[in-house]
Amino acid sequence: IHGKYNAAIYYALRYRNHIVAMMSFKKLSAIEKYDWKLCQYATVNNFDFENAFSKLFDYFVKNNMPISVKWTVDHRFYTRQSVQHGFQLVSETKPNFYWVNKYATEKHSSSSFSYTNIDIQDSTKSFLDNMHLLGFTRYFDCGNLIFIKMFK
């Protein structure tokens, strides 16, 4: 539904044998401030499945008994679901950008590439032009909202 992510747990809702919503989670390391990360929540385009978020999240909570869950939401896709499910907004990030390859199968952070670690295609062109020659497009976001839900 929403691309690949390196999560530990994946849940999906099916309707008529099709996945209509999914949610994934990753256990954070002991040095992290929070217990779990809600990595992704996505639904099929133009499909409003009532209580999909609640069903998936409640199932995760029941089976994993988290102490806390961190959820980073792209500001463009924020729909107030986080507040409705007991998450508290703790911070916001500034707008940034990321790189996507020409097949849209890879997404890289803004800091993933620099002049020192790319194969320069044309030394007379700018870094941005060289990234385009390598098949990458730069996309800007609107920043992220960081939400936390505490259970104990």
Side-chain angles (χ1 to χ4, degrees):
I1 290 177
H2 205 271
K4 191 166 76 170
Y5 196 90
N6 187 20
I9 297 172
Y10 296 85
Y11 297 115
L13 284 179
R14 299 179 127 209
Y15 177 73
R16 294 185 179 168
N17 211 25
H18 295 291
I19 294 175
V20 295
M22 64 78 55
M23 190 176 279
S24 63
F25 297 88
K26 180 179 183 178
K27 181 86 168 146
L28 297 174
S29 67
I31 62 170
E32 295 280 344
K33 190 174 179 181
Y34 303 103
D35 194 23
W36 285 89
K37 177 180 181 180
L38 193 167
C39 301
Q40 290 182 317
Y41 170 68
T43 59
V44 174
N45 286 342
N46 302 318
F47 193 89
D48 185 17
F49 189 78
E50 189 174 334
N51 299 320
F53 186 97
S54 293
K55 289 175 192 281
L56 292 166
F57 190 74
D58 292 349
Y59 189 83
F60 164 77
V61 170
K62 177 182 171 187
N63 288 285
N64 296 280
M65 297 181 288
I67 295 168
S68 59
V69 176
K70 177 182 179 181
W71 186 19
T72 302
V73 179
D74 186 319
H75 209 295
R76 294 174 297 162
F77 305 119
Y78 174 61
T79 62
R80 295 186 182 237
Q81 280 181 322
S82 50
V83 176
Q84 294 169 351
H85 294 90
F87 283 84
Q88 300 295 317
L89 177 64
V90 293
S91 65
E92 293 185 47
T93 66
K94 293 179 180 178
N96 201 355
F97 68 90
Y98 53 92
W99 298 101
V100 176
N101 70 340
K102 64 183 169 186
Y103 304 110
T105 57
E106 298 175 17
K107 179 179 173 181
H108 300 274
S109 70
S110 59
S111 61
S112 295
F113 301 107
S114 68
Y115 259 121
T116 60
N117 69 355
I118 68 166
D119 182 21
I120 301 296
Q121 302 293 302
D122 184 341
S123 60
T124 65
K125 295 192 178 215
S126 70
F127 174 74
L128 181 60
D129 289 338
N130 273 279
M131 288 300 290
H132 289 157
L133 289 171
L134 288 168
F136 287 91
T137 302
R138 182 171 57 171
Y139 288 95
F140 288 86
D141 65 26
C142 298
N144 295 307
L145 303 169
I146 313 298
F147 292 94
I148 302 299
K149 178 161 181 152
M150 303 299 291
F151 291 90
K152 294 182 183 184

